[in-house]
Coordinates of all heavy atoms in Angstrom, one line a residue:
M226 N 226.9 -99.7 117.8 CA 228.3 -99.4 118.1 C 229.2 -100.2 117.2 O 229.0 -101.4 117.1 CB 228.6 -99.6 119.6 CG 230.0 -99.2 119.9 SD 230.3 -99.7 121.7 CE 230.8 -98.1 122.3
Q227 N 230.1 -99.5 116.5 CA 231.0 -100.2 115.6 C 232.3 -100.7 116.3 O 232.9 -99.9 117.0 CB 231.3 -99.3 114.4 CG 232.1 -99.9 113.3 CD 232.3 -98.9 112.2 OE1 232.2 -97.7 112.3 NE2 232.8 -99.5 111.0
E228 N 232.6 -101.9 116.1 CA 233.9 -102.5 116.6 C 235.0 -102.3 115.6 O 234.8 -102.5 114.4 CB 233.7 -104.0 116.9 CG 232.6 -104.3 117.9 CD 233.2 -104.5 119.3 OE1 234.4 -104.8 119.4 OE2 232.4 -104.3 120.2
R229 N 236.2 -101.9 116.1 CA 237.4 -101.8 115.2 C 238.1 -103.1 115.2 O 238.1 -103.9 116.1 CB 238.3 -100.7 115.8 CG 237.7 -99.4 115.7 CD 238.7 -98.3 116.2 NE 238.1 -97.0 116.1 CZ 238.1 -96.3 115.0 NH1 238.7 -96.7 113.9 NH2 237.5 -95.1 114.9
K230 N 238.8 -103.4 114.0 CA 239.6 -104.6 113.9 C 240.8 -104.5 114.8 O 241.2 -105.5 115.3 CB 240.0 -104.7 112.4 CG 239.0 -105.1 111.4 CD 239.6 -105.2 110.1 CE 238.6 -105.3 109.0 NZ 239.2 -105.4 107.7
F231 N 241.4 -103.3 114.9 CA 242.6 -103.2 115.7 C 242.4 -102.0 116.7 O 241.9 -101.0 116.3 CB 243.8 -102.9 114.8 CG 244.0 -103.9 113.7 CD1 243.6 -103.7 112.4 CD2 244.6 -105.1 114.0 CE1 243.8 -104.6 111.4 CE2 244.9 -106.0 113.0 CZ 244.4 -105.8 111.7
P232 N 243.0 -102.1 117.9 CA 242.9 -100.9 118.8 C 243.8 -99.8 118.2 O 244.8 -100.0 117.6 CB 243.5 -101.5 120.1 CG 244.2 -102.7 119.7 CD 243.6 -103.2 118.5
R233 N 243.3 -98.6 118.4 CA 244.1 -97.4 117.9 C 244.7 -96.7 119.1 O 244.2 -96.8 120.2 CB 243.2 -96.5 117.1 CG 242.0 -95.9 117.9 CD 241.2 -95.0 117.0 NE 240.0 -94.6 117.8 CZ 239.1 -93.8 117.3 NH1 239.2 -93.3 116.1 NH2 238.1 -93.5 118.0
S234 N 245.8 -96.0 118.8 CA 246.4 -95.2 119.8 C 246.8 -93.8 119.2 O 246.9 -93.7 118.0 CB 247.7 -95.9 120.3 OG 248.6 -96.2 119.2
R235 N 246.9 -92.9 120.1 CA 247.3 -91.5 119.7 C 248.7 -91.5 119.1 O 249.6 -92.3 119.6 CB 247.1 -90.6 120.8 CG 245.7 -90.4 121.2 CD 245.6 -89.4 122.3 NE 244.2 -89.3 122.7 CZ 243.5 -88.2 123.0 NH1 244.2 -87.1 123.1 NH2 242.3 -88.3 123.3
A236 N 248.9 -90.6 118.2 CA 250.2 -90.5 117.6 C 250.4 -89.0 117.2 O 249.5 -88.3 117.2 CB 250.3 -91.4 116.3
F237 N 251.6 -88.7 116.9 CA 251.9 -87.3 116.4 C 253.2 -87.5 115.6 O 254.3 -87.3 116.0 CB 252.2 -86.4 117.6 CG 252.2 -84.9 117.1 CD1 251.0 -84.2 116.8 CD2 253.4 -84.3 116.9 CE1 251.1 -82.9 116.4 CE2 253.5 -83.0 116.5 CZ 252.3 -82.3 116.2
L238 N 252.9 -87.9 114.3 CA 254.0 -88.2 113.4 C 253.9 -87.4 112.1 O 252.8 -87.3 111.5 CB 254.0 -89.7 113.0 CG 254.4 -90.7 114.0 CD1 254.0 -92.1 113.6 CD2 255.9 -90.6 114.4
G239 N 254.9 -86.8 111.7 CA 254.9 -86.1 110.4 C 254.7 -87.1 109.3 O 255.2 -88.2 109.4
A240 N 254.1 -86.7 108.3 CA 253.8 -87.6 107.2 C 253.7 -86.9 105.8 O 253.4 -85.7 105.7 CB 252.4 -88.3 107.4
K241 N 254.0 -87.7 104.8 CA 253.8 -87.3 103.4 C 252.9 -88.2 102.8 O 253.0 -89.5 102.9 CB 255.2 -87.3 102.7 CG 256.2 -86.3 103.1 CD 256.2 -85.2 102.2 CE 257.3 -84.2 102.6 NZ 257.0 -82.9 102.5
I242 N 251.9 -87.7 102.0 CA 251.0 -88.5 101.2 C 251.5 -88.4 99.8 O 251.5 -87.4 99.2 CB 249.6 -87.9 101.4 CG1 249.1 -88.0 102.8 CG2 248.6 -88.5 100.4 CD1 247.8 -87.1 103.1
L243 N 252.0 -89.5 99.3 CA 252.7 -89.6 98.0 C 251.8 -90.3 97.0 O 251.2 -91.3 97.3 CB 254.0 -90.4 98.1 CG 255.0 -89.9 99.2 CD1 256.1 -90.9 99.3 CD2 255.5 -88.5 98.8
F244 N 251.7 -89.7 95.8 CA 250.9 -90.2 94.8 C 251.4 -89.8 93.4 O 252.5 -89.1 93.4 CB 249.4 -89.8 94.9 CG 249.2 -88.3 95.0 CD1 248.7 -87.6 93.8 CD2 249.4 -87.6 96.1 CE1 248.5 -86.3 93.9 CE2 249.2 -86.2 96.2 CZ 248.7 -85.6 95.1
N245 N 250.8 -90.2 92.3 CA 251.3 -89.9 91.0 C 252.7 -90.4 90.8 O 253.6 -89.7 90.5 CB 251.2 -88.4 90.8 CG 251.3 -88.0 89.3 OD1 251.2 -88.8 88.4 ND2 251.7 -86.7 89.1
D246 N 252.9 -91.7 91.2 CA 254.2 -92.3 91.1 C 255.3 -91.6 92.0 O 256.4 -91.4 91.6 CB 254.7 -92.5 89.7 CG 253.9 -93.5 88.9 OD1 253.5 -94.5 89.5 OD2 253.7 -93.3 87.7
H247 N 254.8 -91.1 93.1 CA 255.6 -90.4 94.1 C 256.1 -89.0 93.6 O 257.0 -88.4 94.2 CB 256.8 -91.2 94.6 CG 256.4 -92.4 95.4 ND1 257.2 -93.1 96.2 CD2 255.2 -93.0 95.5 CE1 256.6 -94.1 96.8 NE2 255.3 -94.1 96.3
R248 N 255.6 -88.5 92.5 CA 255.9 -87.2 92.0 C 255.2 -86.1 92.6 O 255.5 -84.9 92.5 CB 255.8 -87.2 90.4 CG 256.7 -88.1 89.7 CD 256.6 -87.9 88.2 NE 255.2 -88.2 87.8 CZ 254.9 -89.3 87.0 NH1 255.8 -90.1 86.6 NH2 253.7 -89.5 86.7
S249 N 254.1 -86.4 93.3 CA 253.2 -85.4 93.9 C 253.1 -85.8 95.4 O 253.1 -87.0 95.7 CB 251.8 -85.4 93.3 OG 252.0 -85.0 91.9
A250 N 252.9 -84.8 96.3 CA 252.8 -85.0 97.7 C 252.0 -84.0 98.4 O 252.0 -82.8 98.0 CB 254.2 -85.2 98.3
F251 N 251.3 -84.4 99.5 CA 250.7 -83.5 100.5 C 251.4 -83.7 101.8 O 251.7 -84.9 102.1 CB 249.2 -83.7 100.6 CG 248.4 -83.4 99.4 CD1 247.6 -84.3 98.8 CD2 248.5 -82.1 98.8 CE1 246.8 -84.0 97.7 CE2 247.7 -81.8 97.7 CZ 246.9 -82.7 97.1
D252 N 251.5 -82.7 102.6 CA 252.0 -82.9 104.0 C 250.8 -83.2 104.9 O 249.7 -82.8 104.7 CB 252.7 -81.6 104.5 CG 254.0 -81.4 103.8 OD1 254.7 -82.3 103.5 OD2 254.3 -80.2 103.5
G253 N 251.1 -84.0 106.0 CA 250.1 -84.3 106.9 C 250.7 -84.7 108.3 O 251.9 -84.7 108.4
I254 N 249.8 -84.9 109.2 CA 250.2 -85.4 110.6 C 249.4 -86.6 110.9 O 248.1 -86.5 110.9 CB 250.1 -84.3 111.6 CG1 251.0 -83.1 111.3 CG2 250.4 -84.8 113.0 CD1 250.8 -81.9 112.2
V255 N 250.0 -87.7 111.3 CA 249.2 -88.8 111.7 C 248.9 -88.6 113.2 O 249.7 -88.4 114.0 CB 250.0 -90.1 111.6 CG1 249.3 -91.3 112.2 CG2 250.3 -90.4 110.1
K256 N 247.6 -88.5 113.5 CA 247.1 -88.2 114.8 C 246.7 -89.5 115.6 O 246.7 -89.5 116.8 CB 245.9 -87.3 114.8 CG 246.2 -85.9 114.1 CD 247.2 -85.1 115.0 CE 246.4 -84.5 116.1 NZ 247.2 -83.6 116.9
E257 N 246.2 -90.5 114.9 CA 245.9 -91.8 115.5 C 246.4 -92.9 114.5 O 246.4 -92.7 113.3 CB 244.4 -91.9 115.7 CG 243.8 -91.0 116.7 CD 242.3 -91.1 116.8 OE1 241.7 -92.0 116.1 OE2 241.7 -90.4 117.6
M258 N 246.8 -94.0 115.1 CA 247.3 -95.1 114.3 C 247.0 -96.4 115.0 O 247.0 -96.5 116.2 CB 248.8 -94.9 114.1 CG 249.4 -95.7 113.1 SD 251.1 -95.1 112.7 CE 251.6 -96.3 111.6
S259 N 246.8 -97.5 114.1 CA 246.6 -98.8 114.6 C 247.4 -99.7 113.7 O 248.0 -99.3 112.7 CB 245.2 -99.2 114.6 OG 244.7 -99.4 113.3
E260 N 247.4 -101.0 113.9 CA 248.0 -102.0 113.1 C 247.5 -102.0 111.7 O 248.1 -102.2 110.7 CB 247.9 -103.4 113.7 CG 248.6 -104.5 113.0 CD 248.4 -105.8 113.6 OE1 248.3 -105.9 114.8 OE2 248.3 -106.8 112.9
G261 N 246.2 -101.6 111.6 CA 245.5 -101.7 110.3 C 245.2 -100.4 109.6 O 244.8 -100.3 108.4
G262 N 245.5 -99.2 110.2 CA 245.2 -97.9 109.5 C 245.6 -96.7 110.4 O 246.3 -96.9 111.4
A263 N 245.2 -95.5 109.9 CA 245.6 -94.3 110.6 C 244.5 -93.2 110.3 O 243.8 -93.3 109.3 CB 246.9 -93.9 110.1
M264 N 244.6 -92.2 111.1 CA 243.8 -90.9 110.9 C 244.9 -89.9 110.6 O 245.8 -89.7 111.5 CB 243.0 -90.6 112.1 CG 242.0 -89.4 111.8 SD 242.7 -87.8 112.1 CE 242.4 -87.7 113.8
I265 N 244.8 -89.2 109.5 CA 245.8 -88.2 109.1 C 245.1 -86.8 109.0 O 244.1 -86.7 108.3 CB 246.4 -88.6 107.7 CG1 246.9 -90.0 107.8 CG2 247.4 -87.6 107.3 CD1 247.1 -90.6 106.4
R266 N 245.7 -85.8 109.6 CA 245.2 -84.5 109.4 C 246.0 -83.9 108.3 O 247.2 -84.0 108.2 CB 245.5 -83.6 110.7 CG 244.7 -84.1 111.9 CD 243.7 -83.0 112.2 NE 242.9 -83.4 113.4 CZ 241.7 -83.2 113.5 NH1 241.0 -82.7 112.5 NH2 241.0 -83.6 114.6
T267 N 245.3 -83.2 107.4 CA 245.9 -82.6 106.2 C 245.0 -81.4 105.7 O 243.8 -81.6 105.8 CB 246.3 -83.5 105.1 OG1 246.9 -82.8 104.0 CG2 245.0 -84.3 104.6
E268 N 245.6 -80.4 105.3 CA 244.8 -79.3 104.7 C 244.2 -79.6 103.4 O 243.3 -79.0 102.9 CB 245.7 -78.0 104.6 CG 246.2 -77.5 105.9 CD 245.1 -76.9 106.8 OE1 244.2 -76.3 106.2 OE2 245.1 -77.2 108.0
S269 N 244.7 -80.7 102.8 CA 244.3 -81.1 101.4 C 243.4 -82.3 101.4 O 243.5 -83.0 100.4 CB 245.5 -81.3 100.5 OG 246.4 -80.1 100.6
A270 N 242.7 -82.6 102.4 CA 242.0 -83.9 102.6 C 241.1 -84.2 101.4 O 241.0 -85.3 100.9 CB 241.2 -83.9 103.9
M271 N 240.4 -83.2 100.9 CA 239.5 -83.4 99.8 C 240.2 -83.7 98.4 O 239.6 -84.2 97.5 CB 238.5 -82.2 99.6 CG 237.6 -82.0 100.8 SD 236.7 -83.5 101.2 CE 235.7 -83.0 102.5
S272 N 241.5 -83.3 98.4 CA 242.2 -83.5 97.1 C 243.1 -84.8 97.2 O 243.7 -85.2 96.1 CB 243.2 -82.3 96.9 OG 242.4 -81.2 96.8
V273 N 243.1 -85.5 98.3 CA 243.9 -86.7 98.4 C 243.3 -87.8 97.5 O 242.1 -88.0 97.6 CB 244.0 -87.1 99.9 CG1 244.7 -88.5 100.0 CG2 244.8 -86.1 100.7
P274 N 244.1 -88.5 96.7 CA 243.5 -89.6 95.9 C 243.0 -90.8 96.8 O 243.4 -90.9 97.9 CB 244.6 -90.0 95.0 CG 245.9 -89.5 95.6 CD 245.5 -88.3 96.5
E275 N 242.2 -91.6 96.2 CA 241.7 -92.8 97.0 C 242.8 -93.8 97.4 O 242.6 -94.5 98.4 CB 240.7 -93.5 96.1 CG 239.4 -92.8 95.9 CD 238.6 -92.5 97.2 OE1 238.5 -93.5 98.0 OE2 238.2 -91.4 97.4
N276 N 243.9 -93.9 96.7 CA 245.0 -94.8 97.0 C 246.3 -94.0 96.9 O 246.5 -93.2 96.0 CB 245.0 -95.9 96.0 CG 243.7 -96.6 95.8 OD1 243.0 -96.2 94.8 ND2 243.3 -97.5 96.6
F277 N 247.1 -94.2 97.9 CA 248.4 -93.5 97.9 C 249.4 -94.2 98.9 O 249.1 -95.2 99.6 CB 248.2 -92.1 98.4 CG 247.7 -91.9 99.8 CD1 248.5 -91.9 100.9 CD2 246.3 -91.8 100.0 CE1 248.0 -91.8 102.2 CE2 245.7 -91.7 101.2 CZ 246.6 -91.7 102.3
T278 N 250.6 -93.7 98.9 CA 251.7 -94.2 99.8 C 251.8 -93.2 100.9 O 251.9 -92.0 100.7 CB 253.0 -94.4 99.1 OG1 252.9 -95.3 98.0 CG2 254.1 -94.9 100.0
L279 N 251.8 -93.7 102.1 CA 252.0 -92.9 103.3 C 253.4 -93.1 103.8 O 253.8 -94.2 104.1 CB 251.0 -93.3 104.4 CG 251.1 -92.5 105.7 CD1 250.8 -91.0 105.6 CD2 250.2 -93.1 106.8
Q280 N 254.2 -92.0 103.8 CA 255.5 -92.0 104.3 C 255.6 -91.3 105.6 O 255.4 -90.1 105.6 CB 256.5 -91.4 103.2 CG 257.9 -91.4 103.6 CD 258.8 -90.9 102.6 OE1 258.4 -90.3 101.6 NE2 260.1 -91.0 102.8
L281 N 256.0 -92.0 106.6 CA 256.1 -91.4 108.0 C 257.5 -90.8 108.2 O 258.5 -91.2 107.6 CB 255.8 -92.4 109.0 CG 254.4 -93.1 109.0 CD1 254.2 -94.1 110.1 CD2 253.3 -92.0 109.0
S282 N 257.5 -89.8 109.1 CA 258.8 -89.2 109.4 C 259.8 -90.1 110.0 O 261.0 -89.8 110.0 CB 258.6 -88.0 110.4 OG 257.9 -88.4 111.6
D283 N 259.4 -91.3 110.6 CA 260.3 -92.2 111.1 C 260.8 -93.2 110.0 O 261.5 -94.2 110.3 CB 259.7 -93.0 112.3 CG 258.5 -93.8 112.0 OD1 258.2 -94.0 110.8 OD2 257.9 -94.3 112.9
G284 N 260.4 -93.0 108.8 CA 260.9 -93.8 107.7 C 260.0 -94.9 107.2 O 260.2 -95.5 106.1
R285 N 259.0 -95.3 108.0 CA 258.0 -96.3 107.6 C 257.2 -95.9 106.4 O 256.9 -94.7 106.3 CB 257.1 -96.8 108.8 CG 257.9 -97.5 109.8 CD 257.0 -97.9 111.0 NE 256.6 -96.7 111.7 CZ 255.6 -96.7 112.6 NH1 254.9 -97.8 112.9 NH2 255.3 -95.6 113.3
Q286 N 256.7 -96.8 105.6 CA 255.8 -96.5 104.5 C 254.7 -97.5 104.5 O 254.9 -98.7 104.8 CB 256.6 -96.6 103.1 CG 257.5 -95.4 102.9 CD 257.9 -95.3 101.4 OE1 257.6 -96.2 100.6 NE2 258.7 -94.3 101.1
F287 N 253.5 -97.1 104.1 CA 252.4 -97.9 104.0 C 251.6 -97.6 102.7 O 251.4 -96.4 102.4 CB 251.4 -97.7 105.2 CG 252.0 -98.0 106.5 CD1 252.6 -97.0 107.2 CD2 252.0 -99.3 107.1 CE1 253.2 -97.2 108.5 CE2 252.6 -99.5 108.3 CZ 253.2 -98.5 109.0
E288 N 251.1 -98.6 102.0 CA 250.2 -98.4 100.9 C 248.8 -98.3 101.5 O 248.4 -99.1 102.4 CB 250.2 -99.5 99.9 CG 251.6 -99.7 99.2 CD 252.0 -98.4 98.5 OE1 251.1 -97.8 97.8 OE2 253.1 -98.0 98.6
C289 N 248.0 -97.2 101.2 CA 246.8 -96.9 101.8 C 245.6 -96.8 100.9 O 245.8 -96.4 99.7 CB 246.9 -95.5 102.6 SG 248.2 -95.5 103.8
D290 N 244.4 -97.1 101.4 CA 243.1 -96.8 100.8 C 242.3 -95.9 101.7 O 242.2 -96.2 102.9 CB 242.4 -98.1 100.6 CG 243.1 -99.1 99.6 OD1 243.6 -98.7 98.6 OD2 243.1 -100.3 100.0
V291 N 241.8 -94.9 101.2 CA 241.0 -93.9 102.0 C 239.6 -94.6 102.3 O 239.0 -95.2 101.4 CB 240.7 -92.6 101.2 CG1 239.7 -91.7 102.0 CG2 242.0 -91.9 100.9
R292 N 239.3 -94.6 103.6 CA 238.0 -95.1 104.1 C 237.0 -94.1 104.4 O 235.8 -94.3 104.4 CB 238.2 -96.0 105.3 CG 239.0 -97.3 104.9 CD 238.1 -98.2 104.0 NE 238.9 -99.3 103.5 CZ 239.0 -99.5 102.2 NH1 238.4 -98.8 101.3 NH2 239.7 -100.5 101.8
W293 N 237.4 -92.9 104.8 CA 236.5 -91.7 105.1 C 237.3 -90.4 104.9 O 238.5 -90.4 105.0 CB 235.9 -91.8 106.5 CG 236.8 -91.9 107.6 CD1 237.2 -93.1 108.3 CD2 237.4 -90.8 108.3 NE1 238.0 -92.8 109.3 CE2 238.2 -91.4 109.4 CE3 237.4 -89.5 108.2 CZ2 238.9 -90.6 110.2 CZ3 238.2 -88.7 109.0 CH2 238.9 -89.3 110.0
R294 N 236.5 -89.3 104.8 CA 237.1 -88.0 104.6 C 236.3 -87.0 105.4 O 235.1 -87.1 105.5 CB 237.0 -87.5 103.2 CG 237.9 -88.2 102.2 CD 237.6 -87.7 100.8 NE 238.2 -88.6 99.8 CZ 239.4 -88.5 99.3 NH1 240.2 -87.5 99.7 NH2 239.9 -89.4 98.5
R295 N 237.0 -86.0 105.9 CA 236.4 -84.8 106.5 C 237.1 -83.6 105.9 O 238.0 -83.8 105.1 CB 236.6 -84.8 108.0 CG 236.1 -86.0 108.8 CD 234.6 -86.0 108.8 NE 234.1 -87.1 109.6 CZ 233.9 -88.4 109.1 NH1 234.1 -88.6 107.8 NH2 233.4 -89.3 109.9
I296 N 236.8 -82.4 106.2 CA 237.4 -81.3 105.5 C 238.9 -81.2 105.7 O 239.6 -80.9 104.8 CB 236.8 -80.0 106.1 CG1 235.3 -79.9 105.6 CG2 237.6 -78.7 105.6 CD1 234.5 -78.7 106.1
N297 N 239.4 -81.6 106.9 CA 240.8 -81.5 107.2 C 241.4 -82.8 107.7 O 242.5 -82.8 108.3 CB 241.1 -80.4 108.1 CG 240.5 -80.6 109.5 OD1 239.7 -81.5 109.7 ND2 240.8 -79.7 110.4
A298 N 240.8 -83.9 107.4 CA 241.3 -85.2 107.9 C 240.8 -86.4 107.0 O 239.8 -86.3 106.4 CB 240.9 -85.5 109.3
I299 N 241.6 -87.4 107.0 CA 241.2 -88.7 106.3 C 241.5 -89.9 107.2 O 242.4 -89.8 108.0 CB 241.9 -88.8 104.9 CG1 243.4 -88.8 105.1 CG2 241.4 -87.8 103.9 CD1 244.2 -89.2 103.8
G300 N 240.7 -90.9 107.0 CA 240.9 -92.2 107.7 C 241.3 -93.2 106.6 O 240.7 -93.2 105.6
V301 N 242.4 -93.9 106.8 CA 242.9 -94.8 105.8 C 243.1 -96.2 106.4 O 243.3 -96.4 107.6 CB 244.3 -94.3 105.3 CG1 244.2 -93.0 104.6 CG2 245.4 -94.3 106.3
E302 N 243.0 -97.2 105.5 CA 243.3 -98.6 105.9 C 244.6 -98.9 105.2 O 244.8 -98.6 104.0 CB 242.1 -99.5 105.4 CG 242.3 -100.9 105.7 CD 241.1 -101.8 105.3 OE1 240.3 -101.3 104.5 OE2 241.1 -102.9 105.8
F303 N 245.5 -99.6 105.9 CA 246.7 -100.1 105.2 C 246.4 -101.3 104.4 O 245.8 -102.2 104.8 CB 247.8 -100.4 106.3 CG 248.2 -99.3 107.2 CD1 248.5 -99.5 108.5 CD2 248.2 -97.9 106.7 CE1 248.8 -98.4 109.4 CE2 248.5 -96.9 107.6 CZ 248.9 -97.1 108.9
R304 N 246.9 -101.3 103.2 CA 246.8 -102.4 102.3 C 247.7 -103.5 102.7 O 248.9 -103.2 103.0 CB 247.1 -102.0 100.8 CG 246.0 -102.3 99.9 CD 246.4 -101.8 98.5 NE 246.1 -100.4 98.3 CZ 246.9 -99.6 97.6 NH1 247.9 -100.0 97.0 NH2 246.5 -98.3 97.5
T305 N 247.2 -104.7 102.7 CA 248.1 -105.9 103.0 C 248.4 -106.6 101.7 O 247.6 -106.6 100.8 CB 247.4 -106.8 104.0 OG1 246.2 -107.2 103.4 CG2 247.2 -106.2 105.3
T306 N 249.6 -107.1 101.6 CA 250.0 -107.8 100.4 C 249.9 -109.3 100.5 O 249.7 -109.9 101.5 CB 251.5 -107.4 100.0 OG1 252.3 -107.7 101.2 CG2 251.6 -106.0 99.7

């Protein structure tokens, strides 16, 4: 059994996956979120780059690294500075 660094909670937030110096974007929905990462549903999961900016509908932004992919979802870790 794998332990998580941070407890996750359910969410339902609109999101934009921004890349290519924020000139390109995919739409998504954050379904689960924790202090350290998120699970994002998107129709374009296989096309999302390994690193991107996640912009939430509430105005927050996170720099992200993809940790896993499914056909219509990705799991990301928030980059710390």
Side-chain angles (χ1 to χ4, degrees):
M226 183 184 237
Q227 186 178 15
E228 298 264 339
R229 293 183 178 274
K230 289 183 190 177
F231 304 100
R233 61 182 174 179
S234 58
R235 291 182 186 217
F237 191 79
L238 292 167
K241 293 260 185 215
I242 296 166
L243 305 172
F244 57 100
N245 194 19
D246 291 324
H247 294 197
R248 292 186 300 247
S249 302
F251 292 125
D252 291 322
I254 297 173
V255 174
K256 300 292 282 185
E257 293 179 359
M258 193 164 174
S259 74
E260 183 180 327
M264 189 272 279
I265 307 162
R266 293 250 183 222
T267 180
E268 294 297 319
S269 307
M271 296 304 182
S272 300
V273 172
E275 289 297 315
N276 311 95
F277 61 86
T278 302
L279 177 64
Q280 181 178 6
L281 301 179
S282 57
D283 64 8
R285 291 180 289 169
Q286 286 192 359
F287 301 92
E288 296 302 315
C289 298
D290 296 317
V291 174
R292 293 293 171 236
W293 57 263
R294 293 177 194 269
R295 303 291 182 271
I296 291 173
N297 61 353
I299 56 174
V301 299
E302 181 176 17
F303 300 146
R304 233 181 277 142
T305 56
T306 54

